[in-house]
Amino acid sequence: MSLKIKSVIAKYLLPVLLMLSASANAQLTTVANDGWAGNSVNVVIFRKNSLVTFKDTQFTAYYDQNQVMVLAKRAVNATRWQVVKTSYKGDATDAHKSISIMCDGQGYLHVAWGLHNQPLNYARSVMPGSLQLTEKMPMLDKNEERVTYPEFYRLPGGDLLFFYRDGKSGNGNLVLNKYSASQKKWKRVLSNLIDGEGRRNAYWQLCIDKKGVINISWVWRESPNVASNHDLCYARSADGGVTWQKSTGESYQLPITESKAEYALHIPQNSELINQTSMTTDNQGRPYIATYWRDSSSTIPQYHLVYKTGGNWQVQSLNSRKLAFSLSGVGTKSIPASRPQILVWNKGKKIHAALIFRDLERGNKVSMALNKNLTNDSWEIEDLLSSSVGSWEPTYDTGLWADKKVLNLLIQNVEQVDGEGMSSVKQSSVQVLKWVPGNN
């Protein structure tokens, strides 16, 4: 076969062939074919966000095979993406250093990247809808020297929140900034929302409900060793993060510490409890947290859903896994089961839930566990792709889901070597998978 024919196949036919690997209930489109695949940095679960939609335009970002940060956009539901390489590189060899993006209420794209106890890397688009970025800039130029896990969230009015860890694993504090879309200016809301008191730090997951209430849950970690994760805590704020309460309405005295926190569930250390998973809320603003851990009577970690109904915290276990594994050590781990994403939606009087994950037991495919009535502990699992995605973890367009109940997942087949190692895989396709409730 000639090189010219091979080039045509790679450019035009490969995306079509990849679409055929999706299940009948999902659609797959290709952003680009040059995504960095030496580790999981493009598809770690703590990217907030990997996909964002503003009005009828969707944006994404990824590192290419040369570790250059690339931005892309398309009209929602279009198959063709406009792709632009930025002037920034992000040391993609460290899977912590993912890219997080969000559009503010005026359509400016905000980007933070390449951060694992590093000075803040932050820029925004030069104009609404543009893929061209400004020069790097500070937000406040204070507590921005040791930034990790940057996360953007858009409030209903169009302003942004920016959360990040100031400090290192086992000894860090949670910082909150707020951006005024009209004034184009950041301000510090809290320098220390959750305080590890120099002995531990919080690994959190967060969501904002349709009324703008911030919901956050977290596990404590006593050291850089992932085995020291323990317990599941909760807080919420109805005023943009200025004041915080427990689920009972009791006010927190800030910063929140281990002794002051509300405990949704007590889970001891060495339980294979994973950190940085996902949470969401239903139409009534009730929180739902997805994670996995191992019960004391078992050697097998199972996916669990922890949620608040009727004044009490409830737990459901999928009990679907049969493969035992143990979490220990430092750095990004190579784990047979990904961290899960959770979605819930109301259908009549019933609450439906979908837990999205990847598991070696199912061939490392994109899998979804569906429960069509959370009052019943009944989950059905299906695979949305017929082929392996390696060490992929699920991230999705939160705004598109909230507004349209359309799920868009960022997909890439990658390989994560344990403890921040590097695989020999050079590159793979960056794709978006679409799924809509009711199509199953």
Side-chain angles (χ1 to χ4, degrees), residues 5-300:
I5 293 174
K6 289 181 179 179
S7 177
V8 170
I9 290 174
K11 184 174 182 180
Y12 296 106
L13 295 184
L14 183 59
V16 176
L17 293 172
L18 288 170
M19 286 181 68
L20 297 177
S21 67
S23 76
N25 303 326
Q27 300 172 4
L28 194 64
T29 57
T30 299
V31 180
N33 295 314
D34 63 344
W36 168 271
N39 61 6
S40 59
V41 67
N42 281 332
V43 286
V44 287
I45 200 168
F46 47 78
R47 289 192 65 180
K48 299 292 188 300
N49 288 271
S50 63
L51 290 161
V52 296
T53 294
F54 179 74
K55 295 185 177 179
D56 58 357
T57 301
Q58 187 176 55
F59 299 84
T60 192
Y62 68 95
Y63 294 118
D64 71 8
Q65 60 180 321
N66 297 313
Q67 305 182 47
V68 173
M69 183 169 65
V70 180
L71 302 179
K73 68 177 181 179
R74 66 169 176 173
V76 174
N77 294 324
T79 58
R80 186 179 296 273
W81 289 79
Q82 178 185 348
V83 179
V84 173
K85 292 187 178 182
T86 72
S87 59
Y88 300 115
K89 296 185 73 171
D91 183 19
T93 62
D94 183 342
H96 293 82
K97 298 182 179 182
S98 61
I99 308 166
S100 291
I101 62 174
M102 179 53 75
C103 286
D104 65 33
Q106 295 188 352
Y108 286 87
L109 183 68
H110 297 246
V111 185
W113 71 96
L115 297 168
H116 189 192
N117 297 337
Q118 264 85 37
L120 178 65
N121 292 322
Y122 165 69
R124 57 178 179 259
S125 60
V126 296
M127 59 186 300
S130 175
L131 296 179
Q132 181 182 350
L133 295 178
T134 63
E135 296 294 321
K136 286 199 299 185
M137 64 180 76
M139 288 183 178
L140 297 168
D141 209 14
K142 184 179 180 181
N143 299 111
E144 294 178 357
E145 295 301 311
R146 300 188 303 163
V147 177
T148 309
Y149 305 125
E151 296 186 0
F152 292 103
Y153 298 86
R154 186 168 65 223
L155 293 168
D159 292 347
L160 300 184
L161 298 178
F162 183 70
F163 288 82
Y164 64 93
R165 188 184 75 195
D166 174 28
K168 63 182 181 179
S169 178
N171 182 10
N173 301 321
L174 181 55
V175 178
L176 169 57
N177 295 341
K178 185 176 181 181
Y179 179 79
S180 169
S182 60
Q183 298 178 3
K184 297 182 176 59
K185 186 177 181 180
W186 288 96
K187 70 175 182 179
R188 177 63 43 83
V189 179
L190 291 170
S191 295
N192 192 6
L193 171 58
I194 303 176
D195 187 357
E197 302 175 284
R199 299 191 294 273
R200 63 188 61 86
N201 75 274
Y203 281 89
W204 72 93
Q205 47 274 331
L206 189 151
C207 70
I208 298 178
D209 70 19
K210 63 180 182 179
K211 294 182 180 180
V213 176
I214 308 168
N215 294 262
I216 187 169
S217 58
W218 67 95
V219 302
W220 293 111
R221 182 182 292 185
E222 300 298 310
S223 75
N225 188 343
V226 65
S228 68
N229 286 348
H230 64 94
D231 296 317
L232 187 60
C233 303
Y234 174 81
R236 68 183 181 198
S237 173
D239 58 6
V242 177
T243 63
W244 292 80
Q245 298 80 40
K246 300 180 179 180
S247 64
T248 59
E250 179 186 348
S251 294
Y252 274 113
Q253 180 181 348
L254 300 181
I256 303 171
T257 60
E258 184 186 35
S259 62
K260 298 176 184 176
E262 174 183 0
Y263 286 80
L265 198 65
H266 286 287
I267 305 168
Q269 294 187 48
N270 300 302
S271 296
E272 277 63 71
L273 172 65
I274 193 62
N275 53 279
Q276 291 167 290
T277 57
S278 65
M279 69 180 302
T280 190
T281 59
D282 61 20
N283 286 352
Q284 288 72 48
R286 295 173 296 200
Y288 298 78
I289 308 160
T291 187
Y292 65 70
W293 71 83
R294 173 184 58 80
D295 291 329
S296 59
S297 60
S298 174
T299 61
I300 302 171

Side-chain angles (χ1 to χ4, degrees), residues 325-357:
F325 64 87
S326 180
L327 291 177
S328 63
V330 300
T332 303
K333 308 301 295 178
S334 178
I335 304 174
S338 78
R339 291 170 284 194
Q341 286 282 358
I342 183 64
L343 306 172
V344 300
W345 63 99
N346 295 68
K347 192 169 184 179
K349 295 182 179 180
K350 297 179 180 179
I351 296 178
H352 292 217
L355 190 142
I356 306 152
F357 63 99

